[in-house]
Amino acid sequence: MTELVSGRDVLRQARELYAHYRPAVEQTGMKVAVIRFTPKETDPPDTRIRLEASRISAEQKIKSFEHLGFEADHVILPPGIDRAGFQRVLESHNADPNTRAIIVQFPPPLNLLPVVDRLDPAKDIDALLKGRSPYPACATAEGIYRVAEPFATDKPTIAVVGSKGFVGQGVVGLLQANGHDPITLDYGDDLRQVRAADIVISVTGNPGILGPDHIQPHHRVVIDSGFVPQADGSVRGDIGREAAGIPQNITPVPGGIGPVEMATLMERVVRQEVDPNVTPWKVTPGPFLDRTEFAAAAAASNVSTANAPTATVSTAHTGPVSVAEAARLRGGGAPPAVPGVPAGPLRIPGQQPAPVRPQQPQQGGGHTR
């Protein structure tokens, strides 16, 4: 059975861990500013979608900071705001001693991107300034790493799809800093290389870019950081619906990495402003088998060893894997229903490996919830 790695459980844990700081924080008058942009009528659909994701993310951040007792200043900039107007807003929060952290939701209009560099590094709680920030990576990237880490204590092979994007670079950096050597994939690469991994992390914001031709039953955990709102009110992640029941564990969309990002921001602001020894939230990994154990389980289930993964390369499947086959290989019955994933066959766009779209930084706008 495919187990869900619930980000909502992580956020619930964080809210409980840090709730006792609220009375003390409320007395200080400390604030967190969350600044976001609104679309113009002439903006292309892709921009409007990303700004809608940014809106959802900003509202979740406001709730998270207010839960801790901080005054959350939700700054909604009007369509078409010019560089001078954005700069005035940003610098007013830089100068306000009560504003302890500032988040600028991405994507900003391209002409405003240079203004983000004026953010006070000491208030850059989400690593927008990269090397000038107190943090090595954005909260989304840190959350992804911390979800993956309990599944990776034996240094398995990890693939990062979207590795050149803002979040992807952060994930790769954290993995490398902790002794991993990930497979890095981005635009133009053959994404079927993820078959060779034990853990798959996807941070592209391209709905359904990874399907049954990529996701395999031996994958310990698949971490989906995509979040793209749809016209019908639903959202889609990077993992196609037909592939959601294939790996051993998966983060759902919605309810996966988005809440984990919120938990990470809550922990950061508490550590920065209240208690440097704050207790970190943790993920308890669901059950999983390594390659050797998986091959043995597959053989015990009377599955041909020609169709079972080996301990060295992932060549067990040369074509798309059905959900039913994945369940058989795991030694279980039919996989459970995944919230938000309709039952029955669905067409997955791009049966050939699709390229990863070149990314702008996606902080809060395409990689959350």
Side-chain angles (χ1 to χ4, degrees):
M1 296 174 62
T2 296
E3 300 289 338
L4 299 183
V5 183
S6 172
R8 290 181 176 133
D9 287 348
V10 170
L11 181 55
R12 188 178 303 112
Q13 176 193 153
R15 289 170 68 91
E16 293 172 354
L17 278 172
Y18 312 140
H20 68 280
Y21 294 108
R22 181 184 177 100
V25 172
E26 285 180 322
Q27 297 176 21
T28 67
M30 290 189 294
K31 298 190 293 186
V32 177
V34 180
I35 304 171
R36 71 175 176 90
F37 303 89
T38 49
K40 303 189 298 290
E41 290 185 1
T42 55
D43 281 338
D46 183 67
T47 298
R48 299 180 73 87
I49 287 171
R50 293 189 183 281
L51 288 175
E52 173 62 12
S54 173
R55 178 191 68 79
I56 295 170
S57 172
E59 291 175 352
Q60 291 175 344
K61 290 182 175 80
I62 295 297
K63 291 179 181 178
S64 297
F65 293 129
E66 287 180 340
H67 177 79
L68 297 172
F70 288 87
E71 180 182 338
D73 189 359
H74 189 181
V75 182
I76 304 172
L77 299 178
I81 187 170
D82 61 16
R83 185 176 295 194
F86 177 33
Q87 184 171 319
R88 282 194 298 271
V89 170
L90 187 59
E91 291 185 347
S92 69
H93 286 92
N94 281 343
D96 179 10
N98 287 336
T99 300
R100 311 302 297 172
I102 303 170
I103 296 174
V104 178
Q105 293 288 108
F106 272 67
L110 288 178
N111 65 309
L112 301 184
L113 191 57
V115 179
V116 178
D117 286 338
R118 293 179 174 269
L119 174 64
D120 181 350
K123 299 183 180 185
D124 182 18
I125 197 172
D126 215 7
L128 296 178
L129 302 177
K130 297 187 177 180
R132 294 193 291 131
S133 170
Y135 301 94
C138 67
T140 304
E142 180 186 335
I144 290 169
Y145 171 76
R146 288 170 65 177
V147 170
E149 195 276 335
F151 292 91
T153 55
D154 58 340
K155 295 296 186 288
T157 303
I158 302 174
V160 180
V161 182
S163 60
K164 293 181 181 178
F166 177 64
V167 176
Q169 289 179 45
V171 172
V172 170
L174 290 172
L175 288 169
Q176 292 174 337
N178 287 276
H180 300 278
D181 184 19
I183 300 170
T184 56
L185 301 168
D186 212 284
Y187 185 83
D189 293 325
D190 184 350
L191 301 188
R192 288 174 295 185
Q193 293 180 66
V194 301
R195 296 180 188 175
D198 300 291
I199 294 172
V200 177
I201 298 169
S202 189
V203 292
T204 75
N206 282 327
I209 195 169
L210 299 181
D213 199 30
H214 310 96
I215 304 305
Q216 299 291 289
H218 71 264
H219 286 148
R220 299 179 182 186
V221 64
V222 172
I223 299 176
D224 185 351
S225 185
F227 183 89
V228 181
Q230 304 295 298
D232 63 0
S234 65
V235 295
R236 293 189 62 192
D238 288 1
I239 309 304
R241 292 165 177 161
E242 283 188 343
I246 291 176
Q248 298 184 64
N249 295 272
I250 192 169
T251 59
V253 176
I257 293 304
V260 169
E261 178 195 7
M262 303 305 139
T264 304
L265 286 169
M266 291 172 72
E267 181 185 313
R268 283 184 177 186
V269 76
V270 169
R271 178 177 289 112
Q272 176 178 299
E273 302 299 335
V274 186
D275 181 4
N277 298 313
V278 64
T279 302
W281 57 262
K282 295 182 180 179
V283 170
T284 301
F288 66 89
L289 303 177
D290 63 25
R291 294 290 187 90
T292 301
E293 293 168 333
F294 193 91
S301 299
N302 295 319
V303 177
S304 168
T305 56
N307 290 331
T310 69
T312 54
V313 293
S314 179
T315 56
H317 302 280
T318 57
V321 178
S322 72
V323 173
E325 181 185 5
R328 281 202 316 125
L329 285 169
R330 285 193 300 269
V338 177
V341 179
L346 292 171
R347 185 180 67 84
I348 299 297
Q351 289 300 319
Q352 296 300 317
V356 180
R357 183 167 55 206
Q359 296 182 32
Q360 296 293 331
Q362 297 293 317
Q363 186 63 13
H367 289 284
T368 55
R369 294 22 67 209

